[in-house]
């Protein structure tokens, strides 16, 4: 598995950019956890480094909810997912 080489955001950068916890993510590859990363940062990285994220799990920083990276709505690529999204809330 290739090394995950995306640089995480620092606390100073998060504060300067006023990034909320709902926009921050952690990545888990095998037993290693990386992050925090901002949503757009991960979108751009995943377009060029898909193979590094095929086995990765991702979780928002605001909750502990690990899911396969490319099954998370924010990171899905491809024309079959290019339409609008609806989320059901209980």
């Amino acid at each position: 598995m290739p090394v995950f080489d995306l640089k995480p955001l620092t606390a100073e950068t998060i504060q300067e950019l006023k990034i909320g916890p709902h926009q921050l993510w952690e990545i888990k590859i095998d037993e290693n956890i990386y992050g925090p990363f901002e949503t757009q940062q991960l979108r751009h990285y995943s377009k060029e480094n898909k193979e590094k994220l095929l086995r990765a799990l991702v979780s928002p920083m605001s909750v502990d909810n690990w899911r396969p990276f490319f099954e998370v709505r924010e990171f899905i690529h491809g024309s079959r997912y290019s339409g609008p999204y609806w989320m059901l809330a209980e």
Side-chain angles (χ1 to χ4, degrees):
M1 175 99 198
V3 176
F4 187 73
D5 56 355
L6 183 60
K7 185 177 178 184
L9 297 172
T10 64
E12 293 91 16
T13 301
I14 292 168
Q15 187 174 12
E16 284 175 18
L17 297 176
K18 298 178 182 167
I19 301 171
H22 63 283
Q23 297 172 296
L24 294 172
W25 301 84
E26 289 182 303
I27 300 289
K28 184 189 284 188
I29 299 175
D30 298 323
E31 296 302 315
N32 299 311
I33 297 176
Y34 306 93
F37 305 105
E38 193 269 331
T39 305
Q40 289 295 335
Q41 181 185 22
L42 283 176
R43 280 184 190 152
H44 293 299
Y45 183 83
S46 68
K47 288 180 184 178
E48 306 244 341
N49 297 280
K50 183 176 181 177
E51 71 285 346
K52 293 181 183 182
L53 297 169
L54 289 175
R55 294 186 359 211
L57 300 176
V58 63
S59 177
M61 294 284 293
S62 57
V63 296
D64 189 18
N65 182 18
W66 295 101
R67 297 180 294 169
F69 185 87
F70 289 109
E71 291 181 17
V72 174
R73 178 178 58 95
E74 286 86 349
F75 308 118
I76 294 173
H77 298 293
S79 59
R80 72 179 194 155
Y81 299 105
S82 62
Y85 299 95
W86 291 270
M87 295 185 73
L88 298 176
E90 295 182 37

